[in-house]
Amino acid sequence: MVSKSDKMALERIREFGKQLLEQIKRGESPYFQMPTRTKGNVMFEEGDKTLSLGGRMSTRRFLNYAHTRKFMQSVMIAAATMEYIKSDRTVGKRELYYNLKHSLPNSKQNTFEDDTESGSVLDDLEASLNILREQFHVIAKGRGSIYGDLDLRQAGDEFSCKGLGRGGWLIPGYTEDVEFLNYNADFILAIENDAMMSRLIEEKAWKKLNCLLVTGEGMFPRGVRRFVKRMHEELKLPVIAFVDGDPWGFYIYSVLKYGSIQLAHLSDRYAVPDAKYLGMTMDDIETYGLEHVTEKLKDIDRKKIKEEMQYPWFKHSPEWMRQLKLMAEKGVRIEQQALANKSLAFVAEKYLPEKVEEGKFLP
Amino acid sequence: MVSKSDKMALERIREFGKQLLEQIKRGESPYFQMPTRTKGNVMFEEGDKTLSLGGRMSTRRFLNYAHTRKFMQSVMIAAATMEYIKSDRTVGKRELYYNLKHSLPNSKQNTFEDDTESGSVLDDLEASLNILREQFHVIAKGRGSIYGDLDLRQAGDEFSCKGLGRGGWLIPGYTEDVEFLNYNADFILAIENDAMMSRLIEEKAWKKLNCLLVTGEGMFPRGVRRFVKRMHEELKLPVIAFVDGDPWGFYIYSVLKYGSIQLAHLSDRYAVPDAKYLGMTMDDIETYGLEHVTEKLKDIDRKKIKEEMQYPWFKHSPEWMRQLKLMAEKGVRIEQQALANKSLAFVAEKYLPEKVEEGKFLP
């Protein structure tokens, strides 16, 4: 069975090949175009509230000495991914590199010298053909997990994301082919820390709050963000972030909501612009009496705060500027797990239910 | 239901408290003993082939000014873990710290200043009471996953580690209470890299080779090693390591097989002394024609090779000394994923089956 994602990807890769072929037949130097991905062409769209690319395009030409190598690599990767899709195989970034590395006939030149070379060409192809790396069957790191009342189908298997003891389902790097069968949940809780995930599984928070628990174990990897995005869109579930009250937690939220500069060309398929922020906030420290379990800011934290004050979405938000200023003034950060100072059950029995019921979120 | 592990832990903690109480009743300064965990007391046992502690003991006394703080902390942690066990809750290392941090009455002293303080006291208690951190319900990082024909029961749930699409079961930090229900496998394949894990799930290698696939995503965390050890002992399954052909892969294998210096007091509950090493080996490079997909050694790799040549288990093994010398001579390392250079299916259809069938392992 070919999935919708596979069908679309195959069509676009074929189209890409056809264009090159026609250029050759017409006696032209083959070329293709892609949006420029430099910082200067990255914009914050006030309308759909995500980072995206502006209109600048660049052209890659086979008969341009500076482009030839990259051109050859692009065609190689496009051809290989076609095979991956057809055989229903997915490859990691490093596997792709090894799979395609060989010396060119009658030369000492290698097709690729390292996986940053193949990775960057892949990024170009993504932008040029406007399809995701995952849709090429090149996968992100498999990290992070989900727990809750959700039944899935993938690769011929049907399974549930609950009833898995103290563990959960490891979210694989490739989830384009996941079908959502049944679910019972009001929202998705996106959790920074894997120990907090364990706590919430144990406290049966997914049942009490009627939500799906997802963690990316720190910064959410692409695979997890893409899976969250798909659940958000297809199951119409709001996404609520629960991260550390520090510039790094704020950053995780920021990437989840608006996308990242590196992947600006893909924000529409990763970012969840209407995600909300539950905590930890600087106000939580006083509200819940956590003054003695804060951590002092380090220089690197202060630097990141200053940087975040320049992000357009924080800069124009009074609520967020207040948080960032409060943090700098108090000189402290507060971790999710500091809530354990009240009691282990506190987070699931009081903190989360109160915030969710009263809708106490930051934008 | 109280598990065997919980019962034992509760008994030992009670016994610990009783002893202190009796000392107080007798008018003595309360004290307890524990094996010394400094490097000088760590030995490699030729008999059972693991790292373990020698006979040196140290004593912690309440009325010794230098010990009082740690003594108080030990008793606090022992009391708290008793509650965790009774309420069937597990806590992360950082959660434990936050849960127990408070100021002492009539003073500005905190019970704990950071989680290295609580962590080191926990290590002492582990050694003193001879029970695992996990049996105290203090858990390791939840990372790594398993895939294969194995049915488990945990926390009232029954579930299978196969039929999970392209993902797997996330091995939680606490697996002491896992019951093994049914399984169909001849061995456990312990895989370094999570992208290789994905490859082998996709190629249905667990079915073809009749094995359980386990990954720790790099260095195997405690939780994964403990789970592998339990499967090895209770299901009588051999453990075969499949890691990168470099000093770091060798090190992962070394810790899996012999234990680590930091956890020498627990080797009998983590280490798998009869584990075998499948690959990658230095010989694989020639055997499988992988010369052009090796990576050059860096200074840090060469330093690690020299260090490993001094490990007693490598030093006295001609096979391992040969590997280490070959690596230094060739000046290259070889990653698991380099096998993708042959074809994506190569690892599952040729490399692994050949090695397993012919029993081509390093000791």
Side-chain angles (χ1 to χ4, degrees):
Chain A
M1 203 199 66
V2 179
S3 73
K4 233 176 78 182
S5 153
D6 284 354
K7 228 177 127 177
M8 190 189 76
L10 284 175
E11 268 169 26
R12 296 213 181 149
I13 302 172
R14 268 197 208 103
E15 192 49 43
F16 172 71
K18 242 190 238 171
Q19 276 177 17
L20 300 183
L21 194 65
E22 279 164 18
Q23 291 157 3
I24 295 167
K25 281 186 181 163
R26 284 199 301 268
E28 296 170 13
S29 159
Y31 70 91
F32 62 90
Q33 288 195 304
M34 58 199 168
T36 306
R37 284 183 299 110
T38 50
K39 218 169 172 176
N41 197 31
V42 172
M43 315 186 319
F44 179 60
E45 291 274 4
E46 282 295 339
D48 61 1
K49 297 229 176 258
T50 50
L51 283 170
S52 61
L53 287 184
R56 263 184 269 159
M57 301 288 279
S58 42
T59 303
R60 182 158 295 162
R61 296 176 196 281
F62 180 56
L63 292 184
N64 176 326
Y65 183 76
H67 295 182
T68 304
R69 181 174 173 84
K70 283 215 164 195
F71 189 96
M72 174 272 298
Q73 292 172 333
S74 306
V75 177
M76 269 190 82
I77 289 186
T81 56
M82 205 149 175
E83 287 312 308
Y84 303 155
I85 297 170
K86 282 185 190 164
S87 67
D88 198 26
R89 287 195 159 91
T90 64
V91 297
K93 192 183 159 196
R94 203 144 175 83
E95 213 177 1
L96 173 77
Y97 156 64
Y98 278 126
N99 191 218
L100 298 185
K101 182 178 184 178
H102 60 78
S103 342
L104 296 173
N106 307 319
S107 87
K108 281 189 173 173
Q109 287 275 318
N110 286 322
T111 49
F112 295 93
E113 282 307 340
D114 55 47
D115 69 354
T116 52
E117 222 185 353
S118 47
S120 116
V121 167
L122 191 66
D123 287 340
D124 293 343
L125 266 186
E126 255 185 325
S128 176
L129 274 65
N130 193 25
I131 54 180
L132 290 186
R133 176 179 294 218
E134 287 84 349
Q135 292 173 322
F136 282 119
H137 280 219
V138 182
I139 63 174
K141 205 163 170 54
R143 197 180 66 194
S145 59
I146 181 167
Y147 203 106
D149 195 351
L150 171 67
D151 295 339
L152 303 176
R153 183 187 290 133
Q154 188 183 36
D157 298 326
E158 289 185 12
F159 53 94
S160 171
C161 298
K162 71 169 157 46
L164 293 173
R166 300 178 194 267
W169 186 56
L170 182 107
I171 301 173
Y174 182 72
T175 54
E176 297 306 311
D177 61 342
V178 168
E179 289 170 69
F180 301 107
L181 302 177
N182 291 300
Y183 71 101
N184 181 13
D186 296 327
F187 63 94
I188 298 162
L189 191 68
I191 302 156
E192 174 171 351
N193 193 286
D194 69 304
M196 178 53 79
M197 178 81 174
S198 294
R199 162 71 34 245
L200 295 179
I201 292 173
E202 274 190 18
E203 307 293 333
K204 300 207 186 324
W206 56 277
K207 215 170 180 174
K208 287 178 194 159
L209 296 164
N210 204 38
C211 67
L212 302 175
L213 305 172
V214 176
T215 184
E217 293 171 28
M219 185 69 200
F220 287 13
R222 282 179 71 135
V224 171
R225 279 190 283 143
R226 175 68 186 149
F227 191 57
V228 166
K229 174 75 175 181
R230 283 200 58 207
M231 289 193 288
H232 170 67
E233 283 203 329
E234 296 174 41
L235 308 179
K236 313 279 175 228
L237 291 177
V239 175
I240 299 176
F242 179 31
V243 298
D244 286 341
D246 62 26
W248 315 100
F250 293 0
Y251 184 66
I252 290 175
Y253 173 65
S254 158
V255 170
L256 187 71
K257 188 176 169 92
Y258 302 105
S260 67
I261 288 175
Q262 297 92 319
L263 298 182
H265 57 300
L266 304 170
S267 290
D268 56 327
R269 275 152 291 178
Y270 283 104
V272 180
D274 49 4
K276 299 262 177 292
Y277 186 94
L278 181 144
M280 306 290 295
T281 69
M282 286 297 107
D283 306 284
D284 289 341
I285 297 173
E286 204 175 314
T287 310
Y288 298 101
L290 300 168
E291 290 84 354
H292 62 299
V293 282
T294 55
E295 301 276 318
K296 268 195 193 131
L297 292 183
K298 293 185 182 132
D299 288 348
I300 191 172
D301 300 322
R302 291 190 183 275
K303 205 181 139 204
K304 188 77 184 166
I305 292 173
K306 270 189 199 151
E307 192 187 310
E308 290 181 356
M309 283 180 163
Q310 298 308 317
Y311 289 1
W313 46 89
F314 286 151
K315 199 175 177 174
H316 301 303
S317 157
E319 291 101 320
W320 275 108
M321 284 307 276
R322 189 175 154 270
Q323 290 294 324
L324 288 162
K325 278 178 195 157
L326 262 177
M327 196 185 294
E329 277 166 30
K330 286 177 188 267
V332 295
R333 47 191 286 272
I334 182 89
E335 292 182 9
Q336 304 186 280
Q337 298 188 80
L339 292 166
N341 192 246
K342 302 281 120 184
S343 83
L344 295 183
F346 183 80
V347 60
E349 284 177 5
K350 191 162 160 69
Y351 181 82
L352 290 175
E354 266 185 21
K355 289 228 170 182
V356 171
E357 246 169 64
E358 296 169 20
K360 266 191 180 170
F361 304 129
L362 289 174
Chain B
M1 203 199 65
V2 180
S3 73
K4 232 175 78 182
S5 152
D6 284 354
K7 227 176 126 179
M8 190 188 77
L10 284 175
E11 265 168 28
R12 295 212 182 151
I13 302 172
R14 269 198 207 103
E15 192 50 42
F16 172 71
K18 239 190 239 172
Q19 274 176 18
L20 300 183
L21 194 66
E22 276 162 21
Q23 291 156 1
I24 294 167
K25 279 187 184 164
R26 283 200 299 269
E28 296 169 15
S29 159
Y31 70 93
F32 61 90
Q33 289 195 304
M34 58 200 169
T36 306
R37 284 183 299 111
T38 49
K39 219 170 173 178
N41 198 30
V42 172
M43 315 185 319
F44 179 60
E45 292 273 3
E46 282 295 339
D48 59 0
K49 297 228 174 258
T50 50
L51 284 170
S52 61
L53 288 184
R56 265 184 268 158
M57 301 288 278
S58 42
T59 302
R60 183 158 294 161
R61 295 175 195 281
F62 179 56
L63 292 185
N64 176 326
Y65 184 77
H67 295 181
T68 304
R69 181 175 173 84
K70 282 216 165 193
F71 189 97
M72 173 271 299
Q73 291 172 334
S74 306
V75 176
M76 269 188 81
I77 289 185
T81 55
M82 205 150 177
E83 287 311 309
Y84 302 155
I85 298 170
K86 283 186 188 163
S87 67
D88 198 27
R89 287 194 159 92
T90 64
V91 297
K93 192 184 158 195
R94 203 144 175 83
E95 212 177 3
L96 173 78
Y97 156 64
Y98 279 125
N99 191 220
L100 298 186
K101 182 178 183 178
H102 60 77
S103 341
L104 295 173
N106 306 319
S107 87
K108 280 187 175 175
Q109 287 276 318
N110 285 323
T111 49
F112 296 93
E113 282 309 339
D114 57 48
D115 69 353
T116 52
E117 222 184 353
S118 48
S120 115
V121 167
L122 191 67
D123 287 340
D124 293 343
L125 267 185
E126 255 185 325
S128 176
L129 274 63
N130 193 25
I131 54 182
L132 290 186
R133 177 180 293 218
E134 287 83 348
Q135 293 173 320
F136 282 120
H137 280 219
V138 181
I139 63 173
K141 204 161 169 56
R143 197 182 66 195
S145 59
I146 181 168
Y147 203 105
D149 195 351
L150 170 67
D151 296 339
L152 303 177
R153 183 187 289 134
Q154 189 183 35
D157 298 327
E158 289 185 13
F159 52 95
S160 171
C161 298
K162 70 168 158 47
L164 294 172
R166 298 179 195 267
W169 186 56
L170 181 108
I171 300 174
Y174 182 73
T175 53
E176 297 305 312
D177 61 340
V178 168
E179 289 169 70
F180 302 106
L181 302 178
N182 292 299
Y183 71 102
N184 181 12
D186 295 327
F187 63 93
I188 299 162
L189 191 69
I191 302 156
E192 174 171 349
N193 193 286
D194 68 305
M196 178 53 78
M197 177 82 174
S198 294
R199 163 71 34 246
L200 295 179
I201 292 173
E202 274 188 19
E203 306 293 333
K204 299 208 189 323
W206 56 277
K207 216 171 179 172
K208 287 178 194 160
L209 295 164
N210 205 39
C211 66
L212 302 175
L213 306 172
V214 176
T215 184
E217 293 171 29
M219 185 68 201
F220 286 15
R222 284 180 69 135
V224 171
R225 280 189 283 142
R226 176 67 185 149
F227 190 57
V228 166
K229 173 75 174 180
R230 284 200 57 206
M231 289 192 288
H232 170 67
E233 284 205 327
E234 297 173 42
L235 308 179
K236 313 280 176 226
L237 291 176
V239 175
I240 299 176
F242 178 31
V243 297
D244 286 343
D246 62 26
W248 315 100
F250 293 180
Y251 184 66
I252 290 175
Y253 173 64
S254 157
V255 170
L256 187 72
K257 187 176 170 90
Y258 302 105
S260 67
I261 288 175
Q262 297 93 319
L263 298 182
H265 58 300
L266 305 170
S267 289
D268 57 328
R269 274 153 292 179
Y270 283 102
V272 180
D274 49 4
K276 300 262 176 291
Y277 186 95
L278 181 142
M280 306 293 292
T281 68
M282 285 298 106
D283 305 283
D284 289 342
I285 297 172
E286 203 175 315
T287 310
Y288 298 101
L290 300 168
E291 290 84 354
H292 62 299
V293 281
T294 55
E295 300 277 317
K296 268 195 194 130
L297 291 183
K298 295 187 180 133
D299 287 347
I300 191 172
D301 299 323
R302 292 190 182 275
K303 205 181 140 205
K304 188 77 184 166
I305 292 173
K306 271 190 199 150
E307 193 187 308
E308 290 182 356
M309 284 182 164
Q310 298 308 317
Y311 289 1
W313 46 89
F314 287 151
K315 199 176 179 175
H316 301 303
S317 158
E319 292 102 319
W320 276 107
M321 285 305 277
R322 190 177 154 268
Q323 290 295 323
L324 287 162
K325 277 177 195 158
L326 262 176
M327 195 185 294
E329 277 166 30
K330 287 177 187 267
V332 295
R333 46 190 286 272
I334 182 88
E335 293 182 8
Q336 303 186 282
Q337 298 188 80
L339 293 166
N341 192 245
K342 299 284 121 180
S343 83
L344 294 183
F346 183 80
V347 59
E349 284 176 7
K350 192 162 160 68
Y351 181 81
L352 290 175
E354 266 186 19
K355 289 229 170 185
V356 171
E357 246 169 65
E358 296 169 21
K360 265 191 181 171
F361 305 130
L362 289 175

